[in-house]
Amino acid sequence: MADKMKLGYWKIRGLAEPIRALLAFVEADYEEVVYECGDAPDFDKSCWLDVKFNLGLEFPNLPYLFDGDVKITQTVAIMHYLSNKYGLNPKEFAVHAQCDMLDHVAIDLTNMGTRLFYQPKEAFEAGRDGLVKNAKGMISQFAAFLGSKTYFAGDYITGTDFLVFETIDKYTVLEPTIIEEENLKNWMKRIRELPTMHKYFNDPSTTRNWPLNNKMAAFK
């Protein structure tokens, strides 16, 4: 019997949550390998650092995915792999290119927040309003691209929808009114109401209820 697929990451939503959402959607059977850093002031990361270079990863990092002989890192690479595995990749060449673009814009938007979230508390508070303003502008661009489509690729869902959803959803925790466009609000609602996602969004034991960021972050 083949080993169960494994997803390794910190005990936070962070960069792994869109992967978990995709896996919830397809009802994949996999093992969550959880790393939890220590408390302040040291925030000990030895649980990960002690094994980081002993797992057979060519570019050791979190998140990682093990699926049989496949061992990969990097959120977008994992999302693309799983999208291909479960038939959630874009079907048209041009749409595929557009979804790749959206994936990387989503990571840009994530990183924009991460840079501030992990600053000291005073710096985070000082930069919060500017971050919300800039994020709102990028979110509006996603809304404009979505237009009247059901999903970002058109009338069918892809891995890109899960990556963009989690990226924007994190910002609604920071600022609940950050989404102004009705089409994007409706798209978010559509994702939440997918039949296989009910447990993921409503069960308090799922990773959806974990902190957004790690223990040393000013905004968790």
Side-chain angles (χ1 to χ4, degrees), residues 94-164:
V95 176
H96 206 303
Q98 290 176 321
C99 285
D100 284 352
M101 174 184 69
L102 293 169
D103 292 342
H104 290 282
V105 174
I107 293 297
D108 286 346
L109 181 53
T110 294
N111 290 339
M112 186 169 70
T114 300
R115 284 192 291 270
L116 186 63
F117 297 154
Y118 283 85
Q119 291 294 314
K121 186 72 172 179
E122 297 78 11
F124 165 71
E125 294 296 346
R128 182 189 182 283
D129 289 348
L131 174 62
V132 169
K133 179 181 178 181
N134 291 334
K136 186 175 290 188
M138 292 184 71
I139 290 169
S140 292
Q141 290 178 313
F142 278 111
F145 184 94
L146 180 64
S148 61
K149 297 191 292 292
T150 305
Y151 298 106
F152 277 98
D155 60 358
Y156 60 93
I157 197 166
T158 67
T160 293
D161 290 285
F162 295 105
L163 182 54
V164 176

